[in-house]
């Protein structure tokens, strides 16, 4: 087990900066998720850690040792590829023992570790099959077994679940979580699926255009996104943003002609000036929805109603802008109905309209 | 309607081309099993009555045939070794690395096929005499390698493109060096394709007559022996037909076996 440090890592492909000065510290035994939209540089960052990509600048430090100039096989890492990269010309057993054989591990130890890994991944009956005779999910397990049998200090995974169907993905997600609890290997896990990220990660590093825009615990990322990008990328449906004007020196904000009271901590925050513009960010589930007007609630018109089983999703129109609101499934709403939305004051976030950066309220640190 | 017409037209053209190639082969094969008397009779019967092995046996017992066959095999094996040893690394590089001039290199390889070998004949013969390679089987193999190399490179490139880079990378994360990853993962997976390239090279060398004929005198390969017998020594008809048949059969069988690889080479897959 070891810490992993990406120190100002930059990797260019021609003119594209796939990874642009990324610094990220992964703690010993931590499950770190790299999350971001397609093409933001997650895979490239992971490959830099693995040593499969020659970096243009920066260092990789694993377990306190600078491994920047070391071969992939000498970094104490193991990797699970998105395509699994299971060797097609070898049986499952030979796939799993491949790394141990390269390392010249004694036969008896190889046998035991192979059985152990196979048991952990529940592929004991498949050991004599060839990859062509396996399903996608089984192949994925072989790829993971092949990695963990090496007992790596650091386990790297690149979207290992993306090729599985929804049900299997759910099941494998839980298994990966169990696996991490049992092996405690420091893990860097790449995904573009925010649900996966929220459910697996001890911490999540959100990437955009080759840079990390926020790195924090899942709940912090979800509840206190550092920018409109993070708020809009994470959560399904994503965070709503309403244009507003600061009033009373930061004690309230006017949205859709309605005055919303703000908690005290916003008043002194940087970027909050009376008369200034802000974006008010509210998660879909952080509204109180009523059919009558009341203080701190702004009017909206229901446009679409989507029952999702556990909740019902309303698409509403606020001053011509659409917003998404989740409500309890037993509530009665009709298209065209007029409703009032009251954002829960403690769940509301403010962002700077130009940069999209979150306004940091005073005493945020103390609340954590 | 128009589509049916197009299909019919296509089928007709394909049939004509196939007939153009197959008809002579058929005639040669039939003649190879006809008796000598039948071959020289007029009007000549198309079907051998009765079929006989005499003609083939006569050819096989003719002087120099076995030695020439052996020579052909030796040249072909040398050619395979050289073409694969040079072509496979080039194919691997083309499939794996982006480097300046990569496209130019690819085109250059094919462009060598546009150069007429006839133009080279005299200078080549002179150079070979000077270098002591004249009438030497290795010398013939070198020319055959030059002829086969473009195909070897093109085939091996497509073979290695079919082996995902991630497999080698996975091997490297498991402790292999670059070379080990190639030898233990990429090479075994590519082996059937490389075998196809080797066999294709064999056919090319086995059938090549021009260079073999000008560059040898006593150490004839089979095609060189035949062309000499036919063109200058006035070999009898039965010798010609049996020789032709003997040349065609291995090539036909081999091409039939590796046709799947040759097809994928041109982006067509048959199942
Ligand atoms: N080998 C390469 N050559 C050129 N450009 C590349 C190469 N690999 C990646 N890129 C570019 O670098 C950027 C980052 O790619 P990367 O594969 O890291 O994205 P990603 O975040 O993993 O995306 P995805 O979620 O789609 O896998 C992209 O713009 C991509 O086009
Ligand atoms: Mg990727």
């Amino acid at each position: 087990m070891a810490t992993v440090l990406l120190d100002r890592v930059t990797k260019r492909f021609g003119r594209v900066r796939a990874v642009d000065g990324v610094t990220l510290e992964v703690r010993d035994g931590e499950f770190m998720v790299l999350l971001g939209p397609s093409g933001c540089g997650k895979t490239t960052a992971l490959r830099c850690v693995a040593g499969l990509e020659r970096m243009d600048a920066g260092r990789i430090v694993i377990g306190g040792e600078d491994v920047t100039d070391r071969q992939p096989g000498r970094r104490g890492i193991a990797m699970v590829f998105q395509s699994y990269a299971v060797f097609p010309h070898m049986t499952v057993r030979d796939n799993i023992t491949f790394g141990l054989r390269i390392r010249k591990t004694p036969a008896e130890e190889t046998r035991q570790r192979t059985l152990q890994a196979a048991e952990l991944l529940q592929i004991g009956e498949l050991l004599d099959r060839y990859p062509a005779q396996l399903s996608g999910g089984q192949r994925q397990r072989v790829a993971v077994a092949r990695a963990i049998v090496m007992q790596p200090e650091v386990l790297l995974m690149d979207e290992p679940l993306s090729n599985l169907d929804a049900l299997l993905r759910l099941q494998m997600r839980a298994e990966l979580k169990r696996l991490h609890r049992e092996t405690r290997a420091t893990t860097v896990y790449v995904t573009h699926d925010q649900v996966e990220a929220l459910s697996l990660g001890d911490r999540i590093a959100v990437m955009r255009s080759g840079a990390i825009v926020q790195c924090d615990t899942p709940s912090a990322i979800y509840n206190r996104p550092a920018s409109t990008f993070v708020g809009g990328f994470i959560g399904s449906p994503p965070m709503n943003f309403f244009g507003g004007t600061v009033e009373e020196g930061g004690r309230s904000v006017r949205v859709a002609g309605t005055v919303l009271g703000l908690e005290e901590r916003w008043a002194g925050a940087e970027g909050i000036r009376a008369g200034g513009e802000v974006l008010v960010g509210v998660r879909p589930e952080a509204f109180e929805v009523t059919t009558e007007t009341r203080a701190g609630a702004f009017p909206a018109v229901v446009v679409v109603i989507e029952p999702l089983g556990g909740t019902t999703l309303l698409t509403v129109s606020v001053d011509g802008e659409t917003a998404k609101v989740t409500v309890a499934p037993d509530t009665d709403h009709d298209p065209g109905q007029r409703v009032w939305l009251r954002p829960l004051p403690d769940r509301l976030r403010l962002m700077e309209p130009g940069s999209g950066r979150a306004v940091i309220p005073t005493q945020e640190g103390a609340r954590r | 309607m128009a589509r049916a017409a197009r299909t019919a037209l296509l089928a007709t053209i394909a049939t004509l081309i196939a007939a153009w190639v197959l008809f002579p082969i058929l005639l040669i094969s039939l003649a190879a099993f006809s008796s000598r008397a039948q071959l020289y009779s007029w009007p000549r019967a198309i079907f051998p009555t009765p079929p006989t092995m005499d003609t083939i046996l006569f050819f096989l017992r003719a002087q120099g045939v076995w030695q020439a066959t052996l020579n052909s095999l030796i040249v072909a094996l040398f050619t395979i070794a050289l073409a694969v040893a040079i072509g496979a690394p080039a194919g691997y590089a083309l499939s794996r690395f982006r480097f300046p001039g990569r496209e130019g290199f690819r085109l250059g390889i094919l462009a060598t096929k546009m150069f007429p070998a006839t133009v080279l004949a005299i200078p080549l013969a002179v150079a070979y005499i000077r270098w002591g390679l004249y009438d030497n089987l290795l010398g013939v193999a070198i020319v055959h390698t030059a002829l086969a190399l473009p195909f070897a490179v093109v085939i091996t490139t497509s073979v290695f493109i079919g082996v995902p880079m991630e497999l080698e990378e996975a091997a490297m994360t498991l402790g292999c060096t670059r070379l080990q990853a190639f030898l233990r993962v990429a090479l075994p997976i590519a082996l059937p394709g490389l075998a196809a390239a080797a066999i294709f090279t064999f056919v090319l060398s086995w059938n090549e007559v021009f260079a073999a004929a000008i560059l040898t005198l006593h150490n004839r390969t089979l095609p060189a022996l035949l062309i000499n017998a036919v063109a200058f020594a006035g070999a009898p008809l039965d010798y010609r037909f049996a020789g032709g048949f003997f040349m065609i059969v291995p090539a036909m069988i081999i091409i039939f076996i590796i046709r799947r690889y040759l097809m994928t080479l041109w982006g067509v897959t048959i199942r």
Side-chain angles (χ1 to χ4, degrees), chain B:
Chain B
M1 199 52 222
R3 222 170 112 191
R6 252 181 56 179
T7 313
L9 183 69
L10 217 65
T12 314
I13 294 174
T15 310
L16 283 176
I17 294 176
W20 172 263
V21 176
L22 288 177
F23 192 60
I25 294 179
L26 179 70
L27 288 184
I28 290 174
S29 307
L30 289 173
F33 290 99
S34 304
S35 67
R36 180 174 205 166
Q38 197 180 354
L39 286 175
Y40 276 102
S41 64
W42 191 264
R44 188 190 301 163
I46 291 196
F47 292 97
T49 44
T52 168
M53 290 298 287
D54 289 354
T55 302
I56 301 259
L57 290 175
F58 165 69
F59 171 74
L60 292 181
R61 286 193 202 111
Q63 205 212 334
V65 166
W66 284 112
Q67 184 58 47
T69 306
L70 187 64
N71 288 348
S72 270
L73 282 175
I74 291 170
V75 168
L77 290 180
F78 268 127
T79 306
I80 289 173
L82 287 172
V84 171
I86 302 170
Y92 185 77
L94 281 173
S95 75
R96 286 290 187 265
F97 306 115
R98 297 173 158 272
F99 50 89
R102 180 165 168 272
E103 287 309 306
F105 184 68
R106 281 174 74 123
L107 281 180
I109 287 169
L110 290 177
T112 58
K113 290 269 84 177
M114 291 158 47
F115 203 80
T118 357
V119 180
L120 272 178
I122 304 297
L124 200 60
V126 172
Y128 263 44
I129 290 169
R130 244 185 240 152
W131 295 336
L133 277 174
Y134 187 78
D135 204 17
N136 182 326
L137 293 180
L138 183 62
V140 179
I142 289 173
V143 176
H144 286 186
T145 303
L147 294 173
L149 214 44
F151 295 108
V153 173
V154 170
I155 297 176
T156 51
T157 302
S158 76
V159 167
F160 282 120
I161 285 176
V163 182
M165 183 66 190
E166 282 199 344
L167 293 181
E168 283 173 87
E169 290 177 340
M172 283 165 70
T173 63
L174 291 169
C176 286
T177 61
R178 192 80 186 67
L179 182 67
Q180 278 179 314
F182 172 78
L183 292 177
R184 286 173 168 259
V185 175
L187 192 60
I189 298 172
L191 218 48
L194 296 184
I199 290 170
F200 189 75
T201 306
F202 176 88
V203 173
L204 214 106
S205 168
W206 175 263
N207 283 342
E208 200 284 329
V209 60
F210 186 74
I214 16 178
L215 296 178
T216 58
L217 194 59
H218 304 294
N219 291 318
R220 295 283 196 204
T221 63
L222 194 57
L225 181 83
L226 281 176
I227 199 80
N228 195 56
V230 168
F232 306 111
L237 276 181
D238 45 351
Y239 181 92
R240 297 179 182 206
F241 284 124
F245 183 71
F246 196 66
M247 288 296 311
I248 291 169
V249 169
M252 291 274 287
I253 292 173
I254 284 167
I255 292 287
F256 187 75
I257 292 170
I258 64 166
R259 72 196 192 288
R260 197 160 61 84
Y261 287 101
L262 296 179
M263 289 293 205
T264 53
L265 185 62
W266 306 114
V268 187
T269 40
I270 48 173
R271 302 237 155 226

Side-chain angles (χ1 to χ4, degrees), chain A residues 25-46:
Chain A
E25 199 170 350
V26 188
R27 298 179 195 130
D28 192 8
E30 187 176 30
F31 200 116
M32 172 66 81
V33 177
L34 288 184
L35 174 68
S38 191
C40 71
K42 308 179 295 286
T43 297
T44 309
L46 197 72

Side-chain angles (χ1 to χ4, degrees), chain A residues 159-173:
Chain A
E159 310 209 20
L161 306 184
S162 64
N163 290 332
L164 305 180
D165 65 49
L167 199 65
L168 201 54
R169 198 180 310 173
L170 213 63
Q171 187 188 337
M172 280 306 296
R173 200 169 77 197

Side-chain angles (χ1 to χ4, degrees), chain A residues 47 52 71-73 77 81 83 85-90 98-99 102-103 146 150, chain B residues 166-178 180-181 184-186 188-189:
Chain A
R47 289 169 57 87
L52 294 170
Q71 292 259 325
I77 56 115
F81 290 77
S83 62
V86 173
F87 305 132
H89 60 304
M90 297 181 195
F98 184 85
I102 294 289
R103 297 252 148 87
R146 186 179 66 180
M150 303 305 293
Chain B
E166 282 199 344
L167 293 181
E168 283 173 87
E169 290 177 340
M172 283 165 70
T173 63
L174 291 169
C176 286
T177 61
R178 192 80 186 67
Q180 278 179 314
R184 286 173 168 259
V185 175
I189 298 172

